Amino acid sequence: MNTREWLEKLVSFDTTSRNSNLQLIECVRDALVREGARVEVMHSPEGNKANLFATLPASDGRTEGGIVLSGHTDVVPIDGQQWDSHPFELTERDGRLFGRGSCDMKGFIAAGLALVPEFMRMPRTKPLHFALSYDEEVGCAGAPFMLEGLKLRGAKFDGCVVGEPTSMQVVVAHKGINVYRCRVHGKAAHSSLTPKGSNAIEYAARLICRIRDISDHFKEHGPYDEFFDVPFTTMTTNQIQGGIAVNTIPELCEFVYEFRNLPGMSSDGIQAQVDAYVQSELLPRMQREFADARIDVERRASAPALEATEDAAITQLVRALTADQDKRKVAYATEAGLFQNIGIPTVVCGPGSIEQAHKPNEYVDIQQLESCERFLRKIGQSLV
């Protein structure tokens, strides 16, 4: 199949993160096995999702070293979005291919898979690998299982390209992402008897305001990295729920917050500021009203920041193949930091614009896919 045919097939699988991705993984597995690749499917703990790691051996059968092409198979929901065409049917209009995941990031995967027969014919002295993950869109939850397995067996690689949409430009750094859920447990009471209760919403609000204060401090005082589109660490509270009735002191309030830290900033150090406020100020105040009050803070997802080194061979190779020497850093997170953390030099470069990701009528330009094909073909040729 060519790139467009592969993209049409991949988009047809509704791999929204809440769903299974097994049909897609099994389709890719079978195609790669037919071409002679060595394929390992690693299921999630629940068994309903899977990562895939495939190796196209070198001409002499070697499987160590070489370059990894990495992509995630899950997509974000279409809930509440108005689409002009079916989101899970690839549609062409005005030189663009529309469909959920066409940009983020099934286009990159499709281009790579379409070239597999060509890769297998190349007289390569090093292998080429595909790493396809699940649940990237909900905090890079799937890739760590795959990478831990590779690390445990001592697998070695020369570099990795994560094909997130960058308009085929080189991204050498991105922020980390850390997602936390906070549950504030107070005491219910009739609202006419306010002193007999402990208002979980009000105490949650105090913590949310403190999180905003910490975020404002980063904005005003740094540290800064002007190569980023947002050059400082950010913190936001993005979901909240609590209370059961207008005349009832709420017993429970739950909210979710995230922070995106610059490379080099300790995510644990940032969270320690939140924990310190909870333990030293907020919780003691609550417990003076209700001795059994508690505040539970749980990390739901995290992905480390990326800071590629310019002298790494993969950075120099990708810069040479794209003729792009600009130092480009982005606020969104990818799985690249996870690869870097197990010792694999990594950069981000893929087709499509991040401006189109997650939106209704998501699309990738056909020209971008053609550029990606040329780029990936050169990656393969660099291993000859």
Side-chain angles (χ1 to χ4, degrees):
M1 292 194 293
N2 61 30
T3 295
R4 178 171 179 154
E5 291 169 335
W6 262 116
L7 184 55
E8 184 173 21
K9 172 65 73 173
L10 296 176
V11 167
S12 73
F13 295 109
D14 179 359
T15 53
T16 304
S17 302
R18 60 183 172 231
N19 300 334
S20 172
N21 73 334
L22 290 182
Q23 283 188 310
L24 182 153
I25 290 294
E26 290 164 0
C27 173
V28 172
R29 175 200 62 196
D30 294 346
L32 289 173
V33 169
R34 285 194 298 269
E35 294 295 336
R38 301 182 185 181
V39 183
E40 182 179 1
V41 173
M42 295 153 275
H43 288 85
S44 65
E46 299 78 16
N48 64 327
K49 300 181 182 182
N51 298 307
L52 178 148
F53 192 84
T55 297
L56 313 185
S59 299
D60 62 359
R62 187 184 317 169
T63 59
E64 287 294 310
I67 293 173
V68 180
L69 305 178
S70 169
H72 63 81
T73 62
D74 62 318
V75 299
V76 298
I78 60 169
D79 302 3
Q81 295 185 342
Q82 297 297 315
W83 284 68
D84 296 329
S85 55
H86 195 296
F88 297 107
E89 294 178 4
L90 195 68
T91 303
E92 180 179 350
R93 295 194 302 273
D94 302 321
R96 298 167 174 173
L97 296 175
F98 292 82
R100 175 56 88 219
S102 58
C103 172
D104 186 15
M105 57 177 294
K106 292 179 177 180
F108 177 80
I109 297 173
L113 293 175
L115 289 171
V116 167
E118 190 173 334
F119 289 145
M120 294 298 288
R121 292 192 298 269
M122 291 178 180
R124 288 175 290 104
T125 60
K126 290 186 177 182
L128 187 64
H129 313 271
F130 287 84
L132 306 184
S133 66
Y134 67 88
D135 282 0
E136 189 270 351
E137 296 289 7
V138 289
C140 300
F145 293 102
M146 173 170 53
L147 296 179
E148 183 62 22
L150 295 175
K151 181 179 178 181
L152 287 174
R153 67 172 183 247
K156 302 294 184 183
F157 308 97
D158 299 329
C160 173
V161 178
V162 175
E164 290 279 4
T166 68
S167 300
M168 293 307 301
Q169 297 173 321
V170 184
V171 168
V172 295
H174 65 64
K175 294 180 179 180
I177 183 172
N178 304 268
V179 181
Y180 286 82
R181 182 181 70 176
C182 178
R183 292 169 61 89
V184 180
H185 300 266
K187 181 180 180 182
H190 194 283
S191 59
S192 66
L193 302 173
T194 299
K196 294 185 178 295
S198 183
N199 194 312
I201 289 179
E202 292 177 353
Y203 282 103
R206 292 179 183 275
L207 181 51
I208 290 169
C209 288
R210 176 51 65 97
I211 290 169
R212 175 57 188 262
D213 288 343
I214 297 171
S215 180
D216 288 344
H217 181 85
F218 290 137
K219 181 178 180 179
E220 294 169 8
H221 302 287
Y224 303 107
D225 185 333
E226 298 301 333
F227 285 105
F228 280 91
D229 42 5
V230 179
F232 47 86
T233 294
T234 59
M235 301 182 75
T236 56
T237 300
N238 299 328
Q239 291 179 304
I240 187 168
Q241 59 185 12
I244 61 172
V246 69
N247 60 352
T248 303
I249 301 296
E251 181 178 6
L252 175 66
C253 183
E254 177 179 321
F255 64 94
V256 177
Y257 65 96
E258 65 156 43
F259 56 87
R260 295 175 182 258
N261 55 294
L262 291 174
M265 287 195 69
S266 167
S267 58
D268 289 342
I270 295 169
Q271 179 57 29
Q273 297 183 54
V274 178
D275 293 337
Y277 175 70
V278 168
Q279 296 301 321
S280 66
E281 296 186 42
L282 195 59
L283 188 56
R285 183 170 178 172
M286 281 191 76
Q287 290 177 339
R288 286 195 291 271
E289 293 179 348
F290 174 50
D292 292 331
R294 71 180 196 274
I295 299 174
D296 300 326
V297 180
E298 171 193 9
R299 182 156 62 184
R300 302 298 303 275
S302 65
L306 169 73
E307 186 79 77
T309 58
E310 288 294 337
D311 59 354
I314 190 66
T315 308
Q316 295 180 11
L317 174 64
V318 174
R319 286 203 180 284
L321 297 184
T322 58
D324 179 13
Q325 298 300 319
D326 289 343
K327 183 170 286 189
R328 194 172 290 103
K329 303 181 179 184
V330 295
Y332 60 82
T334 79
E335 293 171 333
L338 294 168
F339 284 89
Q340 186 180 65
N341 273 13
I342 67 165
I344 305 175
T346 304
V347 294
V348 185
C349 184
S353 169
I354 195 65
E355 294 294 329
Q356 305 308 323
H358 300 192
K359 293 182 178 180
N361 298 318
E362 177 183 348
Y363 69 84
V364 62
D365 285 312
I366 293 174
Q367 288 184 345
Q368 282 283 301
L369 290 180
E370 293 171 347
S371 295
C372 184
E373 288 176 357
R374 291 192 293 270
F375 168 71
L376 292 178
R377 183 176 290 110
K378 292 175 183 177
I379 288 279
Q381 292 168 346
S382 75
L383 302 173
V384 170

